[in-house]
Amino acid sequence: EAGVAQSPRYKIIEKRQSVAFWCNPISGHATLYWYQQILGQGPKLLIQFQNNGVVDDSQLPKDRFSAERLKGVDSTLKIQPAKLEDSAVYLCASSLDGLAGDLGFFGPGTRLTVL
Amino acid sequence: DAKTTQPPSMDCAEGRAANLPCNHSTISGNEYVYWYRQIHSQGPQYIIHGLKNNETNEMASLIITEDRKSSTLILPHATLRDTAVYYCIVRVSPWSQGGKLIFGQGTELSVKP
């Protein structure tokens, strides 16, 4: 089975520029997560979708970050405008609901460097 | 979701068992213990999870104390490829009951030849 796909893998931008990341979850997975991982720290949950609805976005800095999941499949995460402290790896994960299947499969991440 | 406490780092000799502890003293009755690991430059990878019984799969064993306030992940024969950061997470499952994957700092395991 294909895993979670993310693109791009790397992105370098200047501060105040905009950037977007794309995630394609595993087919049939209803739940999708976006995480931010700053170097040396554990991943921090930014937003959680169930199908195309937001379950939790309490940690998403909504003044500059936005995310959508149209049609309950692919998702994009946008930062506008970027700050230096946004330099991090952005991870996407998906999971299949259910007691046995709710494990969370992660993509390889997008490494963002803001100069 | 309950918080967890893990040692920041551990060493293990190649071929020996690696025992990674996790404290979760505030765990609720409906919260599961999950373990993930993250190898350098990769996304986290699911290892194992359990509620109250000990669990074993092809990767590892999970031992949960009777009071469920702590657990130990056991890698029975550690190899150099097991060098990674290991995260212990407690959460409700499935998501529809409010479960989220909330990561702490994890334990950095170094397997040495």
Side-chain angles (χ1 to χ4, degrees):
Chain A
E1 133 186 301
V4 176
Q6 290 188 247
S7 68
R9 291 296 313 277
Y10 304 92
K11 189 76 177 177
I12 300 174
I13 62 172
E14 303 272 337
K15 61 183 179 183
R16 292 187 289 272
Q17 285 187 321
S18 301
V19 65
F21 312 126
W22 173 82
C23 173
N24 186 3
I26 293 173
S27 177
H29 282 195
T31 307
L32 185 147
Y33 312 80
W34 281 103
Y35 288 83
Q36 178 193 59
Q37 186 170 25
I38 292 171
L39 186 65
Q41 299 181 16
K44 171 188 166 186
L45 180 65
L46 293 177
I47 189 167
Q48 179 178 344
F49 291 95
Q50 175 66 16
N51 296 310
N52 59 350
V54 175
V55 173
D56 185 347
D57 63 356
S58 57
Q59 298 295 305
L60 188 72
K62 298 181 188 63
D63 57 334
R64 298 184 301 106
F65 286 65
S66 64
E68 60 182 9
R69 191 183 183 197
L70 300 176
K71 301 180 183 178
V73 181
D74 293 8
S75 177
T76 56
L77 176 69
K78 297 179 182 177
I79 307 175
Q80 181 179 10
K83 294 185 176 182
L84 296 177
E85 59 261 35
D86 298 332
S87 293
V89 175
Y90 291 84
L91 295 160
C92 179
S94 70
S95 68
L96 180 68
D97 192 16
L99 286 173
D102 192 17
L103 304 179
F105 295 88
F106 284 78
T110 296
R111 182 177 298 276
L112 173 68
T113 301
V114 182
L115 303 175
Chain B
D1 294 316
K3 286 190 65 175
T4 62
T5 304
Q6 298 178 253
S9 63
M10 292 181 64
D11 290 339
C12 178
E14 188 178 20
R16 301 297 293 269
N19 297 283
L20 292 92
C22 179
N23 281 318
H24 31 79
S25 58
T26 59
I27 192 169
S28 300
N30 63 344
E31 288 182 312
Y32 287 70
V33 180
Y34 283 74
W35 283 84
Y36 284 76
R37 73 179 183 185
Q38 188 172 26
I39 295 169
H40 183 62
S41 297
Q42 297 182 22
Q45 175 192 24
Y46 165 82
I47 301 173
I48 198 167
H49 76 288
L51 183 62
K52 45 184 155 180
N53 296 325
N54 297 338
E55 302 287 345
T56 296
N57 63 20
E58 64 278 4
M59 289 182 70
S61 294
L62 173 61
I63 307 298
I64 303 174
T65 58
E66 196 168 336
D67 63 6
R68 303 210 321 123
K69 294 186 176 182
S70 65
S71 61
T72 301
L73 178 75
I74 302 172
L75 308 177
H77 305 287
T79 71
L80 298 179
R81 285 176 294 190
D82 292 322
T83 292
V85 178
Y86 287 77
Y87 296 98
C88 169
I89 300 168
V90 292
R91 57 164 292 189
V92 174
S93 180
W95 74 270
S96 52
Q97 294 182 22
K100 297 188 268 277
L101 283 172
I102 306 295
F103 290 81
Q105 293 294 95
T107 296
E108 186 165 9
L109 176 69
S110 296
V111 181
K112 300 183 185 299

